[in-house]
Amino acid sequence: SFLLSLIKLLLSTLSLPRVLLCCYTSALGKQGLRRSLKLDLEQKLFGQHLATEVILKALTGFKNNRNPKKPLTLSLHGWAGTGKNFVSQIVAENLHPKGLKSNFVHLFVSTLHFPHEQKIKLYQEQLQKWIRGNVSACASSVFIFDEMDKLHPGIIDAIKPFLDYYEQVDGVSYCKAIFIFLSNAGGDLITKTALDFWRAGRKREDIQLKDLEPVLSVGVFNNKHSGLWRSGLIDRNLIDYFVPFLPLEYRHVKMCVRAEMRARGAAVDEDIVTRVAEEMTFFPKDEKIYSDKGCKTVQSRLDFH
């Protein structure tokens, strides 16, 4: 029967080498990836039409390409609380069953893993070894670099050979790996564009990637506090997409509160939704359009209600 065959197949995977098991689990998630990812982004991410569109197209296109020429490299930019970490979590969960807890998803936090400026050379060597070892074990490994804006300049260039258009580097192919950078750098540029649209009476949904991506790449390249300052990754055009996360408005904060209530298994109480949203602070000073913490403190504020 089909069920018996499936059980035999699952049992057979227990003896597979780690690299094959990684490919097997990735293949299981590949079917219906677009549908699953689209649903997650639409239901859980609010006010980010650009990020939703770019992530969906980039990821499904990459995973459907049997022979990519280089790893997929995404750089997510925007103020805190706009959804960058949340999206990286969604991506991880759609690619590997255990998400961020998977052995094939690796999270680096700049202030935790690379704190000392005088140890840049050591960090570069460790980073290369870590990535080489994990991609050797699992070709479709995912590497997430959080707090890129706090990363000491030069460290990230250590992985440049792995992101380039090489079939192999020292016998290892990195072409099926995914690298995701998360950064607050460029948040001011993104907000300026969003404000310009608002003041001109245009909808935020009219903002297109072409309105922001060129400004972001140049701005991040010239920003000493971006982690990508004068980086060869930008100079060599190795970052496939600069993904802007727009500042969140009052209505988006309310969406976050409702989603958190549902996640806790509670009924949505609109009075509480409004109270939590109104406790947040907004900018600019005069217009007060955007939440200065995005949805970052929604969970803790909801605890008080």
Side-chain angles (χ1 to χ4, degrees):
S1 69
F2 171 77
L3 183 59
L4 184 61
S5 300
L6 181 59
I7 292 172
K8 287 181 179 178
L9 180 61
L10 290 173
L11 288 173
S12 70
T13 64
L14 296 177
S15 60
L16 288 173
R18 186 167 178 246
V19 62
L20 292 181
L21 182 58
C22 158
C23 296
Y24 178 71
T25 53
S26 294
L28 280 178
K30 199 171 179 178
Q31 186 178 7
L33 172 64
R34 180 180 177 82
R35 184 170 61 252
S36 171
L37 183 60
K38 186 173 187 289
L39 194 63
D40 276 349
L41 291 171
E42 288 179 350
Q43 292 184 350
K44 300 175 182 178
L45 184 67
F46 308 116
Q48 304 298 354
H49 68 283
L50 283 176
T52 297
E53 179 185 1
V54 176
I55 296 291
L56 186 60
K57 287 182 178 178
L59 202 64
T60 54
F62 179 75
K63 294 302 289 185
N64 289 332
N65 183 354
R66 293 187 177 183
N67 296 297
K69 301 299 181 186
K70 66 179 289 299
L72 177 64
T73 308
L74 306 172
S75 195
L76 317 187
H77 296 267
W79 294 131
T82 52
K84 301 184 300 297
N85 287 87
F86 196 40
V87 163
S88 65
Q89 179 183 328
I90 289 173
V91 168
E93 289 171 352
N94 276 273
L95 292 176
H96 295 285
K98 292 183 180 180
L100 293 177
K101 294 180 181 179
S102 169
N103 290 330
F104 314 122
V105 177
H106 312 280
L107 174 64
F108 299 97
V109 181
S110 297
T111 51
L112 177 64
H113 296 102
F114 316 109
H116 306 296
E117 191 171 5
Q118 65 271 28
K119 294 185 179 180
I120 288 178
K121 183 74 172 174
L122 175 63
Y123 294 149
Q124 289 177 325
E125 293 172 357
Q126 290 176 335
L127 192 53
Q128 286 184 341
K129 287 179 182 177
W130 181 258
I131 291 175
R132 183 182 298 113
N134 281 286
V135 173
S136 297
C138 173
S140 57
S141 290
V142 178
F143 300 94
I144 301 167
F145 292 81
D146 195 10
E147 298 184 344
M148 279 293 293
D149 46 300
K150 295 180 177 68
L151 185 68
H152 300 298
I155 291 179
I156 203 64
D157 275 8
I159 69 171
K160 177 180 166 293
F162 306 149
L163 305 187
D164 218 325
Y165 292 83
Y166 300 125
E167 286 189 14
Q168 291 188 345
V169 178
D170 292 334
V172 179
S173 173
Y174 298 86
C175 293
K176 293 189 177 181
I178 294 175
F179 293 81
I180 303 174
F181 305 135
L182 314 180
S183 178
N184 289 354
D188 53 342
L189 300 171
I190 296 168
T191 296
K192 182 183 182 303
T193 299
L195 263 175
D196 288 344
F197 270 69
W198 185 84
R199 287 169 177 162
R202 301 173 67 185
K203 295 188 297 183
R204 71 189 272 126
E205 289 77 18
D206 291 337
I207 301 174
Q208 298 180 38
L209 190 61
K210 66 181 182 181
D211 296 317
L212 280 166
E213 198 173 32
V215 178
L216 264 183
S217 62
V218 173
V220 170
F221 183 79
N222 291 319
N223 184 346
K224 287 185 178 181
H225 304 289
S226 71
L228 290 166
W229 181 54
R230 297 185 179 175
S231 171
L233 273 59
I234 297 178
D235 207 31
R236 284 273 298 158
N237 297 310
L238 299 181
I239 296 177
D240 298 296
Y241 296 96
F242 288 88
V243 186
F245 281 68
L246 302 172
L248 298 182
E249 299 173 7
Y250 177 79
R251 59 191 170 111
H252 302 127
V253 173
K254 294 181 80 170
M255 291 178 184
C256 292
V257 180
R258 293 187 192 105
E260 179 60 22
M261 283 180 161
R262 293 190 192 101
R264 297 183 182 193
V268 174
D269 185 324
E270 287 299 329
D271 287 338
I272 294 177
V273 170
T274 300
R275 287 209 298 272
V276 172
E278 287 180 348
E279 287 174 3
M280 308 290 274
T281 52
F282 293 80
F283 72 96
K285 186 179 179 180
D286 295 328
E287 292 101 333
K288 294 185 178 179
I289 311 165
Y290 305 121
S291 168
D292 61 0
K293 292 185 178 69
C295 285
K296 197 82 170 179
T297 59
V298 160
Q299 290 185 1
S300 59
R301 288 179 183 273
L302 194 55
D303 291 339
F304 286 98
H305 297 277

